[in-house]
Amino acid sequence: MNDRPRFETDRFIVILLTPSDARRLLEVLLQDEPLAARVPWLNDKTQDGALQEAYAIGLQAAAGTIKVWGIFSKELQEQVGAMIARNTPEGIDVEALVASRYWSNEVIEEASEPLMEWLEENSEVIDTIPTLLH
């Protein structure tokens, strides 16, 4: 998938992940205890719960019901977070998950800007994600 949307800021690269890459990244992120404590939809905050939720997100990405972008630090050459986009009855919902050790680095502020601009300009792409009603 060479035509995946990709955005660069001064410090980060944000790229649309494949479903398997999304699952692997979220397996790590959701096991970060301080981050997991802040994720309201992660009901089971154990390691098993994190792995199950990451697997479910990977399946949703494969089904096209969500899109997951990875946030990569240029300086550190590692993944530091993810942004998950899904349709809701109110519109597009984008949630950012950043590993707790990077919270003071203003990752979300910088990395989300080009993605949000792209989502506004390409709403027809994100509109193809079905709305999930819980």
Side-chain angles (χ1 to χ4, degrees), residues 7-64:
F7 316 102
E8 290 199 35
T9 69
D10 290 341
R11 299 180 300 149
F12 303 104
I13 298 170
V14 180
I15 189 166
L16 182 63
L17 298 177
T18 65
S20 58
D21 287 341
R23 178 187 46 80
R24 284 192 293 272
L25 176 56
L26 290 167
E27 283 175 350
V28 174
L29 285 175
L30 294 176
Q31 290 184 58
D32 179 343
E33 289 182 17
L35 175 60
R38 292 184 175 192
V39 178
W41 46 262
L42 183 60
N43 297 323
D44 180 357
K45 309 278 186 192
T46 67
Q47 180 178 4
D48 285 343
L51 294 174
Q52 289 172 2
E53 194 63 43
Y55 181 75
I57 289 171
L59 289 175
Q60 291 173 34

Side-chain angles (χ1 to χ4, degrees), residues 36-111:
R38 292 184 175 192
V39 178
W41 46 262
L42 183 60
N43 297 323
D44 180 357
K45 309 278 186 192
T46 67
Q47 180 178 4
D48 285 343
L51 294 174
Q52 289 172 2
E53 194 63 43
Y55 181 75
I57 289 171
L59 289 175
Q60 291 173 34
T65 59
I66 65 171
K67 294 193 183 298
V68 181
W69 280 266
I71 304 170
F72 302 88
S73 168
K74 291 178 181 178
E75 178 185 348
L76 303 173
Q77 294 293 301
E78 64 184 19
Q79 298 176 349
V80 299
M83 288 187 277
I84 304 169
R86 60 176 55 93
N87 277 339
T88 68
E90 295 80 33
I92 299 171
D93 178 50
V94 178
E95 182 170 10
L97 302 173
V98 175
S100 61
R101 68 178 185 235
Y102 304 109
W103 286 352
S104 64
N105 293 358
E106 298 182 356
V107 173
I108 295 171
E109 294 82 354
E110 184 175 332

